[in-house]
């Protein structure tokens, strides 16, 4: 489990920690801010209990390393993450019932510099 990341936290405010040496990643970050979308609970991919299917727009950059999905049960606080590779759809499993999960995506480059988080989506797990 990773430490919690918060959108307004010091971790994001320190560009030297997140994006140093990666000017191309700044273009990635601006594209990713509108990228993440959540599937509705009526989606066939979400018919399995304890799952949420996410999809987002692809980032086009020659040094794209992939994406990481961040999630947690409080808005803006992501206590867990999973690297998902260079894909634009991912089904997050193992989510506990009777909880709402908040999720965001970040792109990373081949030097492991991460973009800021995408917009946040949520899903209530029955």
């Amino acid at each position: 489990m990773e430490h919690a990341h918060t959108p307004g936290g010091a971790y994001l405010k320190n560009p030297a920690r997140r994006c140093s040496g990666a000017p191309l990643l700044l273009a990635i970050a601006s594209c990713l801010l509108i990228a993440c979308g959540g599937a509705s609970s009526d989606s066939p991919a979400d018919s399995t209990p304890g799952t949420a299917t996410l999809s987002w727009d692809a980032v086009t950059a020659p040094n794209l390393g992939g994406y990481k999905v961040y999630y947690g049960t409080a808005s803006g606080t992501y206590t867990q993450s999973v690297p998902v590779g260079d894909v634009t759809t991912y089904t997050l499993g193992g989510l506990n019932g009777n909880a709402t999960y908040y999720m965001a995506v970040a792109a990373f480059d081949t030097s492991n510099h991460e973009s800021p988080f995408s917009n946040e989506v949520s899903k209530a797990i029955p």
Side-chain angles (χ1 to χ4, degrees), residues 43-66:
S43 168
D46 280 349
S47 62
T48 304
T51 65
T53 299
L54 302 169
S55 62
W56 55 91
D57 297 329
V59 170
T60 55
N63 65 341
L64 176 68

PDB file of all heavy atoms in Angstrom, residues 43-66:
ATOM      1  N   SER A  43     -23.008  -0.657 -16.785  1.00  0.00           N
ATOM      2  CA  SER A  43     -22.077  -1.194 -17.762  1.00  0.00           C
ATOM      3  C   SER A  43     -21.863  -2.684 -17.524  1.00  0.00           C
ATOM      4  O   SER A  43     -21.702  -3.111 -16.380  1.00  0.00           O
ATOM      5  CB  SER A  43     -20.740  -0.462 -17.644  1.00  0.00           C
ATOM      6  OG  SER A  43     -19.742  -1.125 -18.369  1.00  0.00           O
ATOM      7  N   PRO A  44     -21.821  -3.502 -18.582  1.00  0.00           N
ATOM      8  CA  PRO A  44     -21.584  -4.934 -18.393  1.00  0.00           C
ATOM      9  C   PRO A  44     -20.269  -5.216 -17.694  1.00  0.00           C
ATOM     10  O   PRO A  44     -20.158  -6.155 -16.935  1.00  0.00           O
ATOM     11  CB  PRO A  44     -21.565  -5.481 -19.825  1.00  0.00           C
ATOM     12  CG  PRO A  44     -22.262  -4.459 -20.650  1.00  0.00           C
ATOM     13  CD  PRO A  44     -22.068  -3.148 -19.962  1.00  0.00           C
ATOM     14  N   ALA A  45     -19.265  -4.375 -17.916  1.00  0.00           N
ATOM     15  CA  ALA A  45     -17.974  -4.596 -17.279  1.00  0.00           C
ATOM     16  C   ALA A  45     -18.051  -4.404 -15.773  1.00  0.00           C
ATOM     17  O   ALA A  45     -17.209  -4.885 -15.037  1.00  0.00           O
ATOM     18  CB  ALA A  45     -16.931  -3.657 -17.879  1.00  0.00           C
ATOM     19  N   ASP A  46     -19.034  -3.661 -15.295  1.00  0.00           N
ATOM     20  CA  ASP A  46     -19.175  -3.415 -13.872  1.00  0.00           C
ATOM     21  C   ASP A  46     -20.183  -4.351 -13.212  1.00  0.00           C
ATOM     22  O   ASP A  46     -20.588  -4.128 -12.084  1.00  0.00           O
ATOM     23  CB  ASP A  46     -19.609  -1.969 -13.626  1.00  0.00           C
ATOM     24  CG  ASP A  46     -18.443  -1.008 -13.701  1.00  0.00           C
ATOM     25  OD1 ASP A  46     -17.297  -1.472 -13.731  1.00  0.00           O
ATOM     26  OD2 ASP A  46     -18.698   0.201 -13.721  1.00  0.00           O
ATOM     27  N   SER A  47     -20.606  -5.394 -13.888  1.00  0.00           N
ATOM     28  CA  SER A  47     -21.605  -6.289 -13.319  1.00  0.00           C
ATOM     29  C   SER A  47     -21.021  -7.200 -12.249  1.00  0.00           C
ATOM     30  O   SER A  47     -21.755  -7.804 -11.492  1.00  0.00           O
ATOM     31  CB  SER A  47     -22.266  -7.111 -14.430  1.00  0.00           C
ATOM     32  OG  SER A  47     -21.305  -7.914 -15.073  1.00  0.00           O
ATOM     33  N   THR A  48     -19.701  -7.306 -12.163  1.00  0.00           N
ATOM     34  CA  THR A  48     -19.064  -8.104 -11.134  1.00  0.00           C
ATOM     35  C   THR A  48     -19.018  -7.299  -9.840  1.00  0.00           C
ATOM     36  O   THR A  48     -18.542  -6.163  -9.841  1.00  0.00           O
ATOM     37  CB  THR A  48     -17.634  -8.485 -11.561  1.00  0.00           C
ATOM     38  OG1 THR A  48     -17.695  -9.149 -12.815  1.00  0.00           O
ATOM     39  CG2 THR A  48     -16.975  -9.374 -10.533  1.00  0.00           C
ATOM     40  N   PRO A  49     -19.516  -7.867  -8.743  1.00  0.00           N
ATOM     41  CA  PRO A  49     -19.486  -7.129  -7.473  1.00  0.00           C
ATOM     42  C   PRO A  49     -18.057  -6.744  -7.082  1.00  0.00           C
ATOM     43  O   PRO A  49     -17.119  -7.492  -7.316  1.00  0.00           O
ATOM     44  CB  PRO A  49     -20.063  -8.127  -6.468  1.00  0.00           C
ATOM     45  CG  PRO A  49     -20.848  -9.088  -7.289  1.00  0.00           C
ATOM     46  CD  PRO A  49     -20.136  -9.169  -8.615  1.00  0.00           C
ATOM     47  N   GLY A  50     -17.916  -5.570  -6.499  1.00  0.00           N
ATOM     48  CA  GLY A  50     -16.611  -5.126  -6.022  1.00  0.00           C
ATOM     49  C   GLY A  50     -15.666  -4.646  -7.088  1.00  0.00           C
ATOM     50  O   GLY A  50     -14.453  -4.638  -6.875  1.00  0.00           O
ATOM     51  N   THR A  51     -16.199  -4.230  -8.257  1.00  0.00           N
ATOM     52  CA  THR A  51     -15.333  -3.731  -9.323  1.00  0.00           C
ATOM     53  C   THR A  51     -15.803  -2.367  -9.818  1.00  0.00           C
ATOM     54  O   THR A  51     -16.970  -2.006  -9.676  1.00  0.00           O
ATOM     55  CB  THR A  51     -15.287  -4.686 -10.539  1.00  0.00           C
ATOM     56  OG1 THR A  51     -16.569  -4.742 -11.144  1.00  0.00           O
ATOM     57  CG2 THR A  51     -14.824  -6.078 -10.141  1.00  0.00           C
ATOM     58  N   ALA A  52     -14.880  -1.648 -10.407  1.00  0.00           N
ATOM     59  CA  ALA A  52     -15.176  -0.387 -11.083  1.00  0.00           C
ATOM     60  C   ALA A  52     -14.315  -0.349 -12.337  1.00  0.00           C
ATOM     61  O   ALA A  52     -13.113  -0.597 -12.271  1.00  0.00           O
ATOM     62  CB  ALA A  52     -14.867   0.801 -10.187  1.00  0.00           C
ATOM     63  N   THR A  53     -14.921  -0.078 -13.467  1.00  0.00           N
ATOM     64  CA  THR A  53     -14.180   0.005 -14.719  1.00  0.00           C
ATOM     65  C   THR A  53     -13.964   1.468 -15.076  1.00  0.00           C
ATOM     66  O   THR A  53     -14.913   2.245 -15.120  1.00  0.00           O
ATOM     67  CB  THR A  53     -14.931  -0.725 -15.849  1.00  0.00           C
ATOM     68  OG1 THR A  53     -15.064  -2.100 -15.486  1.00  0.00           O
ATOM     69  CG2 THR A  53     -14.184  -0.614 -17.161  1.00  0.00           C
ATOM     70  N   LEU A  54     -12.715   1.813 -15.318  1.00  0.00           N
ATOM     71  CA  LEU A  54     -12.322   3.168 -15.664  1.00  0.00           C
ATOM     72  C   LEU A  54     -11.829   3.195 -17.102  1.00  0.00           C
ATOM     73  O   LEU A  54     -11.220   2.241 -17.571  1.00  0.00           O
ATOM     74  CB  LEU A  54     -11.190   3.642 -14.758  1.00  0.00           C
ATOM     75  CG  LEU A  54     -11.458   3.641 -13.266  1.00  0.00           C
ATOM     76  CD1 LEU A  54     -10.164   3.869 -12.501  1.00  0.00           C
ATOM     77  CD2 LEU A  54     -12.464   4.712 -12.939  1.00  0.00           C
ATOM     78  N   SER A  55     -12.058   4.308 -17.779  1.00  0.00           N
ATOM     79  CA  SER A  55     -11.464   4.512 -19.098  1.00  0.00           C
ATOM     80  C   SER A  55     -11.078   5.977 -19.205  1.00  0.00           C
ATOM     81  O   SER A  55     -11.679   6.839 -18.555  1.00  0.00           O
ATOM     82  CB  SER A  55     -12.431   4.099 -20.203  1.00  0.00           C
ATOM     83  OG  SER A  55     -13.597   4.884 -20.163  1.00  0.00           O
ATOM     84  N   TRP A  56     -10.065   6.252 -19.991  1.00  0.00           N
ATOM     85  CA  TRP A  56      -9.565   7.611 -20.146  1.00  0.00           C
ATOM     86  C   TRP A  56      -8.977   7.767 -21.531  1.00  0.00           C
ATOM     87  O   TRP A  56      -8.728   6.787 -22.239  1.00  0.00           O
ATOM     88  CB  TRP A  56      -8.532   7.950 -19.066  1.00  0.00           C
ATOM     89  CG  TRP A  56      -7.381   6.982 -18.993  1.00  0.00           C
ATOM     90  CD1 TRP A  56      -6.193   7.060 -19.649  1.00  0.00           C
ATOM     91  CD2 TRP A  56      -7.324   5.769 -18.214  1.00  0.00           C
ATOM     92  NE1 TRP A  56      -5.391   5.987 -19.343  1.00  0.00           N
ATOM     93  CE2 TRP A  56      -6.064   5.175 -18.457  1.00  0.00           C
ATOM     94  CE3 TRP A  56      -8.202   5.144 -17.340  1.00  0.00           C
ATOM     95  CZ2 TRP A  56      -5.676   3.979 -17.854  1.00  0.00           C
ATOM     96  CZ3 TRP A  56      -7.814   3.953 -16.752  1.00  0.00           C
ATOM     97  CH2 TRP A  56      -6.570   3.383 -17.001  1.00  0.00           C
ATOM     98  N   ASP A  57      -8.779   9.028 -21.933  1.00  0.00           N
ATOM     99  CA  ASP A  57      -8.190   9.332 -23.220  1.00  0.00           C
ATOM    100  C   ASP A  57      -6.694   9.020 -23.185  1.00  0.00           C
ATOM    101  O   ASP A  57      -6.027   9.275 -22.185  1.00  0.00           O
ATOM    102  CB  ASP A  57      -8.374  10.806 -23.575  1.00  0.00           C
ATOM    103  CG  ASP A  57      -9.834  11.182 -23.727  1.00  0.00           C
ATOM    104  OD1 ASP A  57     -10.642  10.339 -24.138  1.00  0.00           O
ATOM    105  OD2 ASP A  57     -10.159  12.342 -23.438  1.00  0.00           O
ATOM    106  N   ALA A  58      -6.188   8.513 -24.284  1.00  0.00           N
ATOM    107  CA  ALA A  58      -4.769   8.193 -24.375  1.00  0.00           C
ATOM    108  C   ALA A  58      -3.940   9.469 -24.410  1.00  0.00           C
ATOM    109  O   ALA A  58      -4.356  10.487 -24.958  1.00  0.00           O
ATOM    110  CB  ALA A  58      -4.498   7.366 -25.623  1.00  0.00           C
ATOM    111  N   VAL A  59      -2.771   9.408 -23.821  1.00  0.00           N
ATOM    112  CA  VAL A  59      -1.793  10.482 -23.904  1.00  0.00           C
ATOM    113  C   VAL A  59      -0.846  10.121 -25.043  1.00  0.00           C
ATOM    114  O   VAL A  59      -0.376   8.991 -25.122  1.00  0.00           O
ATOM    115  CB  VAL A  59      -1.013  10.610 -22.576  1.00  0.00           C
ATOM    116  CG1 VAL A  59       0.156  11.554 -22.719  1.00  0.00           C
ATOM    117  CG2 VAL A  59      -1.948  11.050 -21.476  1.00  0.00           C
ATOM    118  N   THR A  60      -0.598  11.051 -25.935  1.00  0.00           N
ATOM    119  CA  THR A  60       0.322  10.782 -27.045  1.00  0.00           C
ATOM    120  C   THR A  60       1.633  11.500 -26.768  1.00  0.00           C
ATOM    121  O   THR A  60       1.728  12.717 -26.899  1.00  0.00           O
ATOM    122  CB  THR A  60      -0.272  11.237 -28.387  1.00  0.00           C
ATOM    123  OG1 THR A  60      -0.631  12.609 -28.286  1.00  0.00           O
ATOM    124  CG2 THR A  60      -1.503  10.420 -28.742  1.00  0.00           C
ATOM    125  N   ALA A  61       2.597  10.754 -26.336  1.00  0.00           N
ATOM    126  CA  ALA A  61       3.932  11.274 -26.052  1.00  0.00           C
ATOM    127  C   ALA A  61       4.933  10.156 -26.303  1.00  0.00           C
ATOM    128  O   ALA A  61       4.680   9.006 -25.930  1.00  0.00           O
ATOM    129  CB  ALA A  61       4.027  11.760 -24.616  1.00  0.00           C
ATOM    130  N   PRO A  62       6.049  10.463 -26.937  1.00  0.00           N
ATOM    131  CA  PRO A  62       7.016   9.403 -27.249  1.00  0.00           C
ATOM    132  C   PRO A  62       7.639   8.760 -26.015  1.00  0.00           C
ATOM    133  O   PRO A  62       8.090   7.624 -26.078  1.00  0.00           O
ATOM    134  CB  PRO A  62       8.078  10.121 -28.090  1.00  0.00           C
ATOM    135  CG  PRO A  62       7.919  11.568 -27.786  1.00  0.00           C
ATOM    136  CD  PRO A  62       6.484  11.770 -27.410  1.00  0.00           C
ATOM    137  N   ASN A  63       7.644   9.476 -24.889  1.00  0.00           N
ATOM    138  CA  ASN A  63       8.254   8.908 -23.682  1.00  0.00           C
ATOM    139  C   ASN A  63       7.229   8.442 -22.648  1.00  0.00           C
ATOM    140  O   ASN A  63       7.553   8.279 -21.484  1.00  0.00           O
ATOM    141  CB  ASN A  63       9.222   9.916 -23.059  1.00  0.00           C
ATOM    142  CG  ASN A  63       8.529  11.158 -22.539  1.00  0.00           C
ATOM    143  OD1 ASN A  63       7.405  11.472 -22.918  1.00  0.00           O
ATOM    144  ND2 ASN A  63       9.205  11.899 -21.671  1.00  0.00           N
ATOM    145  N   LEU A  64       5.987   8.180 -23.076  1.00  0.00           N
ATOM    146  CA  LEU A  64       4.975   7.688 -22.148  1.00  0.00           C
ATOM    147  C   LEU A  64       5.364   6.305 -21.643  1.00  0.00           C
ATOM    148  O   LEU A  64       5.634   5.396 -22.415  1.00  0.00           O
ATOM    149  CB  LEU A  64       3.602   7.612 -22.835  1.00  0.00           C
ATOM    150  CG  LEU A  64       2.472   7.025 -21.993  1.00  0.00           C
ATOM    151  CD1 LEU A  64       2.129   7.964 -20.837  1.00  0.00           C
ATOM    152  CD2 LEU A  64       1.251   6.763 -22.844  1.00  0.00           C
ATOM    153  N   GLY A  65       5.387   6.161 -20.318  1.00  0.00           N
ATOM    154  CA  GLY A  65       5.685   4.869 -19.720  1.00  0.00           C
ATOM    155  C   GLY A  65       4.435   4.082 -19.403  1.00  0.00           C
ATOM    156  O   GLY A  65       4.435   2.859 -19.400  1.00  0.00           O
ATOM    157  N   GLY A  66       3.337   4.784 -19.124  1.00  0.00           N
ATOM    158  CA  GLY A  66       2.079   4.123 -18.802  1.00  0.00           C
ATOM    159  C   GLY A  66       1.246   4.991 -17.879  1.00  0.00           C
ATOM    160  O   GLY A  66       1.442   6.205 -17.793  1.00  0.00           O
TER     161      GLY A  66
END
